Amino acid sequence: MNAIRNFIELNRSLCRKFDSWIIPKKFRVDGNRDFIDSFAKKFLKRGLEVYDVGGGKNPYINKETKDHLSLRVVGLDIDAAELSQAEDGLYDETVCADITCFLGRRSADLIICQALLEHVRDVDGAFSSIVSILKPGGKAIIFVPSRNAVFARLNLILPEKIKRWILFNIFPQARSSQGFPSYYDRCTPSDFRALAGRYGLRSVDSRCYYQSAYFSFFFPMHLTWRLWVLLFWMVRGEQAAETFSMAFVKPSAESHSGQIDAQSIAARS
């Protein structure tokens, strides 16, 4: 087992060196890290009501940030057990519900949805619910892996047992936070923009990322993947993204917002 771990670490080292020497910086940004450290932070303001959708036991906002900014944080997750494992005091309220069919109360200033929507079967329904949670002028910030990523395509093809075995043996640190079934329904930058427009949301920011560590355990695979992503990007631009972050705002005009919410309610009845 030690020999295998050493082999993997050697290949990861080769991948890091190759990327730092050859690959442009734009293609080396870790999307999830950027979302946590940069993209989401700029939307946090004092006194907001924040819905963390799908954060479960690991919400985006920590206790220090919550107290410093006097935030009211609502945790919404399909798994009550996940919510119950969050650190005491992180959530002011918890809601056990499916984001694809939840009807909100139009009170949230901000929704944070990190690495969740790839795991739901109906992203259209999730966008409808997001609109119903937000107050007029409220914002939704989302991070999601792209359906077009090579790892996502493999995830859709491979049987669940095989996927878990590969993931947990090559990336043992993923046991605590990954391994959930993924569907990648409409999880591409263009599909998200289309869905947002359909529900009256306006895009205010977006970033696409082209970095992934899934193939770093074996340098030849990593090299092949890198060449593919660069070629894909030259042809399709942001559609070649491995992951992406997007921020949307719900229009502040009450008449338009009410119309959207009415459509959402009618669609569920």
Side-chain angles (χ1 to χ4, degrees), residues 5-24:
R5 301 306 318 169
N6 291 337
F7 174 80
I8 291 175
E9 287 307 314
L10 173 61
N11 277 268
R12 285 177 175 162
S13 177
L14 287 172
C15 292
R16 287 192 294 268
K17 289 179 180 178
F18 171 80
D19 285 358
S20 64
W21 293 342
I22 304 296
I23 302 300

Side-chain angles (χ1 to χ4, degrees), residues 181-211:
S182 299
Y183 308 102
Y184 303 99
D185 177 46
R186 306 181 216 201
C187 288
T188 71
S190 62
D191 284 333
F192 267 43
R193 287 198 178 91
L195 280 170
R198 176 180 175 186
Y199 285 102
L201 298 172
R202 180 172 56 85
S203 176
V204 292
D205 198 3
S206 66
R207 296 181 191 174
C208 290
Y209 312 105
Y210 306 88
Q211 169 66 17

Side-chain angles (χ1 to χ4, degrees), residues 204-251:
V204 292
D205 198 3
S206 66
R207 296 181 191 174
C208 290
Y209 312 105
Y210 306 88
Q211 169 66 17
S212 172
Y214 284 106
F215 304 106
S216 62
F217 67 95
F218 187 44
F219 178 72
M221 289 183 66
H222 179 83
L223 176 60
T224 302
W225 163 75
R226 274 298 189 194
L227 293 173
W228 163 251
V229 170
L230 289 169
L231 178 61
F232 193 4
W233 175 79
M234 291 173 64
V235 176
R236 295 292 306 279
E238 68 176 17
Q239 288 298 101
E242 294 281 295
T243 58
F244 58 94
S245 297
M246 287 192 171
F248 303 103
V249 61
K250 181 176 179 178

Side-chain angles (χ1 to χ4, degrees), residues 95-165:
V95 180
C96 182
D98 183 343
I99 188 58
T100 66
C101 55
F102 176 71
L103 185 60
R105 56 193 181 216
R106 299 178 66 213
S107 64
D109 299 290
L110 183 67
I111 291 174
I112 299 173
C113 187
Q114 180 185 358
L116 167 73
L117 296 183
E118 72 272 23
H119 298 298
V120 305
R121 293 180 182 272
D122 180 16
V123 170
D124 187 296
F127 266 82
S128 178
S129 294
I130 285 169
V131 170
S132 78
I133 295 169
L134 287 173
K135 66 167 58 172
K139 296 181 178 69
I141 52 176
I142 300 169
F143 171 79
V144 67
S146 174
R147 182 183 180 87
N148 291 334
V150 176
F151 70 81
R153 292 295 182 178
L154 290 173
N155 203 350
L156 289 169
I157 295 170
L158 293 173
E160 200 64 33
K161 282 187 177 181
I162 294 176
K163 288 188 295 188
R164 287 173 179 268
W165 187 91

